[in-house]
């Protein structure tokens, strides 16, 4: 009961002290699917959130820009850079590990890490545009997404389609800076980006498809600096990245599990349910094992494994602290999982730096 009382205005509390118990009790009756009684299926009872208040959009730096361009920027989620970083880190891992293995001068990784950084920013935005074009009607029924530009009517699908063409053109311009092997490899990932929104309608594993798309850079980065993919190293690195995506995006999906049930969206959050912490712990262990194995095959030294160790600690801390029934906690867990990717990169970068200094 106290979790409802804390959201009531002070005047309501005074009224309750004066004896308006019946009125107060009526005001606390659930009016939507936010709450579930014990008489309902146990599957639904896992979806009790700490707050029944609606999600209020927060002001960001985008709101200080001209009104005409704001919807397009919000469409790309540029105000939430975590998505760009999650797409960028596998590229950075691969480029740095390839530069270490091939003893390349520092100008090479600097050039391609910069290009991949720009590409990650643009293509993450393009992916969000594609996702929102698919999900326009679904987003209207989800509390957290109903204010997105397409769902709220600020932009039309035609506006988004034209904007998507511009985004893909910039992405292509970046990709054309690479060798032909990498151009073909990079272009082949677009099919995964396109079908991802469909997967949440037909399978509980859309996070796996997202992982296949978001970690493509683990293959692309190596081919960009080496001319071709070293599959022996890159496949376990790629698989480790996919497991990592399943961890952070399952945490992310827990934010919307209540609304997802109502509108028919599937996710690993719904599939794993109360076993989420245990399953995500196993996936985290797989991430660390596979990335470590890639490092072993690439002949890395202790500096690399120190970075991987910090990544393991970060994932363990996130899974220990995250409350899967709290939107706020899940968002923090999602963003905090990104630090695991950062520490893996720092380990690879430290090893490469030691090689250059030797």
């Amino acid at each position: 009961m106290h979790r409802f009382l804390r959201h009531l205005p002070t005047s309501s509390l005074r009224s309750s002290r004066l004896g308006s118990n019946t009125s107060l009790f009526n005001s606390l009756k659930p009016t939507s699917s936010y709450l579930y009684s014990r008489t309902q299926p146990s599957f639904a009872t896992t979806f009790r959130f700490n707050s029944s208040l609606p999600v209020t959009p927060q002001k960001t730096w985008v709101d200080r820009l001209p009104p005409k361009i704001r919807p397009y920027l919000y469409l790309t989620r540029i105000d939430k850079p975590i998505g760009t970083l999650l797409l960028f880190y596998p590229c950075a891992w691969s480029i740095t590990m390839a530069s270490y293995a091939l003893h390349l001068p520092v100008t090479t990784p600097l050039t391609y890490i910069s290009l991949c950084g720009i590409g990650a920013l643009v293509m993450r935005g393009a992916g969000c545009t594609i996702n929102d074009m698919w999900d326009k009607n679904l987003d209207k029924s989800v509390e957290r997404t109903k204010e997105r530009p397409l769902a709220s009517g600020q932009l039309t699908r035609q506006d988004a389609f034209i904007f998507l063409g511009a985004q893909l053109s910039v992405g292509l311009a970046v990709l054309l800076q690479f060798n032909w092997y990498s151009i073909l490899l990079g272009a082949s990932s677009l099919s995964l980006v396109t079908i991802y929104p469909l997967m949440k309608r037909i399978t509980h594993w859309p996070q796996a498809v997202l992982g296949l798309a978001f970690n493509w850079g683990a293959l692309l980065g190596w081919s960009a600096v080496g001319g071709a993919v070293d599959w022996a190293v890159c496949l376990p690195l790629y698989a480790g990245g996919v497991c990592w995506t399943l961890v952070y995006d399952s945490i992310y999906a827990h934010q919307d599990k209540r609304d997802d049930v109502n509108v028919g969206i599937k996710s690993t959050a719904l599939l794993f349910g109360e076993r989420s912490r245990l399953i995500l712990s196993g996936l985290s262990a797989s991430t660390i094992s596979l990335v470590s194995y890639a490092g072993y095959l690439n002949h890395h030294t202790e500096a690399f494994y120190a970075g991987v160790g910090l990544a393991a600690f970060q994932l363990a801390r996130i899974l220990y602290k995250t409350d899967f029934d709290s939107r706020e906690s899940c968002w923090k867990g999602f963003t905090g999982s990104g630090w695991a990717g950062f520490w893996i990169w720092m380990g690879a970068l430290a090893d490469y730096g030691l090689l250059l200094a030797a």
Side-chain angles (χ1 to χ4, degrees):
M1 179 77 70
H2 75 278
R3 67 176 180 177
F4 295 99
L5 289 175
R6 60 180 178 171
H7 295 308
L8 292 174
T10 306
S11 60
S12 296
L13 293 177
R14 288 199 191 102
S15 298
S16 67
R17 295 190 188 103
L18 293 175
S20 301
N21 295 328
T22 302
S23 175
L24 178 57
F25 178 78
N26 290 334
S27 72
L28 299 180
K29 289 181 180 179
T31 57
S32 71
S33 59
Y34 278 55
L35 302 174
Y36 297 84
S37 69
R38 293 187 180 183
T39 60
Q40 289 178 299
S42 60
F43 179 73
T45 61
T46 62
F47 304 152
R48 297 189 183 95
F49 283 84
N50 289 348
S51 174
S52 61
L53 293 177
V55 177
T56 303
Q58 295 181 347
K59 295 291 184 180
T60 72
W61 59 269
V62 175
D63 292 302
R64 296 195 292 269
L65 299 177
K68 288 186 178 180
I69 67 171
R70 290 178 200 165
Y72 292 98
L73 293 178
Y74 277 125
L75 187 62
T76 68
R77 321 276 205 276
I78 198 171
D79 57 311
K80 297 180 175 68
I82 181 60
T84 299
L85 291 173
L86 293 171
L87 184 60
F88 167 74
Y89 285 138
C91 300
W93 303 343
S94 190
I95 291 170
T96 307
M97 291 173 71
S99 299
Y100 171 83
L102 301 174
H103 295 249
L104 299 176
V106 69
T107 52
T108 301
L110 277 177
T111 298
Y112 287 101
I113 284 174
S114 299
L115 286 171
C116 284
I118 297 170
L121 178 65
V122 173
M123 293 310 297
R124 186 269 182 129
C128 291
T129 301
I130 293 171
N131 182 80
D132 287 10
M133 289 173 69
W134 273 95
D135 288 354
K136 177 181 178 180
N137 294 327
L138 288 178
D139 284 345
K140 294 177 181 178
S141 302
V142 177
E143 186 68 38
R144 189 179 55 83
T145 61
K146 66 182 182 180
E147 297 301 325
R148 285 178 176 175
L150 282 169
S152 62
Q154 298 174 63
L155 294 176
T156 66
R157 277 202 176 97
Q158 183 178 2
D159 295 331
F161 184 76
I162 295 171
F163 183 52
L164 176 63
Q167 290 173 291
L168 293 178
S169 298
V170 175
L172 178 61
V174 173
L175 190 60
L176 289 174
Q177 307 307 307
F178 297 172
N179 55 64
W180 277 105
Y181 183 102
S182 301
I183 291 172
L184 295 175
L185 182 65
S188 65
S189 68
L190 193 59
S191 59
L192 290 170
V193 177
T194 304
I195 67 169
Y196 161 69
L198 174 64
M199 293 298 103
K200 69 183 74 172
R201 293 162 168 81
I202 63 176
T203 176
H204 280 96
W205 292 93
Q207 282 70 30
V209 179
L210 183 70
L212 294 174
F214 255 55
N215 292 280
W216 204 257
L219 309 177
L220 182 62
W222 195 294
S223 72
V225 301
V229 177
D230 184 339
W231 294 102
V233 175
C234 290
L235 276 181
L237 187 67
Y238 179 60
V242 172
C243 291
W244 177 49
T245 302
L246 279 165
V247 173
Y248 66 67
D249 205 53
S250 295
I251 295 173
Y252 182 89
H254 270 279
Q255 296 178 102
D256 301 324
K257 57 189 176 183
R258 177 193 58 227
D259 293 323
D260 287 350
V261 169
N262 294 333
V263 299
I265 295 176
K266 298 177 174 65
S267 71
T268 49
L270 297 177
L271 179 66
F272 298 161
E274 294 182 346
R275 301 171 296 161
S276 289
R277 202 178 311 276
L278 176 63
I279 294 174
L280 297 184
S281 295
L283 287 167
S284 295
S286 297
T287 298
I288 299 304
S289 299
L290 287 163
V291 171
S292 296
Y293 183 56
Y296 169 77
L297 294 174
N298 204 41
H299 308 293
H300 278 282
T301 66
E302 290 82 359
F304 175 81
Y305 298 108
V308 175
L310 288 171
F313 174 78
Q314 176 66 6
L315 289 175
R317 189 180 72 86
I318 290 298
L319 290 174
Y320 176 77
K321 293 182 65 176
T322 299
D323 176 0
F324 292 104
D325 290 333
S326 164
R327 281 197 179 100
E328 181 181 3
S329 181
C330 287
W331 176 255
K332 288 181 179 178
F334 167 65
T335 56
S337 298
W339 283 99
F342 172 80
W343 288 121
I344 292 170
W345 181 32
M346 288 299 102
L349 199 59
D351 238 1
Y352 176 61
L354 291 172
L355 176 69
L356 294 177

